[in-house]
Amino acid sequence: MARPLDADVRRGEILDRAFALFAEQGYHALSMRDLARELGATTGALYHWFDGKPALFAAMLDRQVERQVFDAVAAVAEVPLPCRMAALGAHIAAAGDDLQRTLAVSLDYHRAHPERGAPLGGALAAYREALGAHLGLDPDAARVVVSVVVGELLQRILEPGRDLRPLARLLPILGRPAAAG
């Protein structure tokens, strides 16, 4: 009976380690054979769990984004609603390296498969939905917040060392309700 749990744990470990490999070497540089060797698995085992490298990548990105969304929600959940945008900005500044690697890996994949925008688009939708729900934002405001964060992370890729701490001060401005009239 413990076998399925062990398989799920092993699959999760493979996805976590695959993220590090994709982040370090890039999507193009890794074949399924390379991944199997680096992950201590057989190629057959990888193909048993995933229908190829794009499917492995999509599962890996889903797992990464699920963890990051959980962490972001946890960072704002216990904070009073008016202070949640600042708490989100502080969380993003603290988690910036991880978020930046996820964006870079996603963009690398997207360059390889522009016709398959679903993994990156799905990740952005997950962030918009979760943040909208936990920050009390309508869908348009959630889209703008995610766009600003992605823009800052992209600038950080282009300008290493860019400070993300100003997001804690700027995100509350984006989250303010629009003036009536």
Side-chain angles (χ1 to χ4, degrees):
M1 287 290 176
R3 191 100 174 120
L5 179 60
D6 292 343
D8 289 343
V9 169
R10 178 67 176 137
R11 184 178 190 272
E13 290 170 351
I14 284 172
L15 292 173
D16 292 342
R17 291 179 57 210
F19 176 77
L21 292 170
F22 281 121
E24 181 182 304
Q25 297 180 34
Y27 183 82
H28 287 296
L30 295 166
S31 67
M32 285 295 272
R33 182 172 293 170
D34 296 332
L35 284 164
R37 183 182 62 251
E38 294 286 336
L39 297 171
T42 65
T43 306
L46 290 184
Y47 279 107
H48 171 74
W49 284 319
F50 311 102
D51 290 334
K53 189 167 77 165
L56 184 151
F57 183 89
M60 180 251 352
L61 184 61
D62 285 348
R63 182 175 171 92
Q64 184 75 0
V65 168
E66 184 178 300
R67 181 187 54 76
Q68 290 172 343
V69 167
F70 177 85
D71 291 347
V73 167
V76 303
E78 300 300 320
V79 176
L81 190 57
C83 302
R84 287 185 182 176
M85 291 296 280
L88 176 65
H91 169 74
I92 290 167
D97 291 343
D98 187 43
L99 294 166
Q100 179 182 327
R101 277 195 321 272
T102 301
L103 179 60
V105 164
S106 299
L107 291 171
D108 188 40
Y109 173 87
H110 189 69
R111 276 193 303 270
H113 297 288
E115 74 286 358
R116 295 181 184 159
L120 183 53
L124 294 174
Y127 287 120
R128 285 191 305 266
E129 187 176 307
L131 295 179
H134 289 87
L135 297 171
L137 301 175
D138 67 52
D140 290 334
R143 181 183 51 80
V144 169
V145 168
V146 169
S147 294
V148 167
V149 171
V150 168
E152 284 295 311
L153 292 169
L154 182 58
Q155 285 185 5
R156 196 167 184 245
I157 290 170
L158 300 172
E159 302 169 19
R162 184 177 180 87
D163 189 1
L164 295 175
R165 289 177 296 183
L167 284 173
R169 183 175 48 82
L170 298 174
L171 286 181
I173 296 168
L174 293 175
R176 284 189 192 140

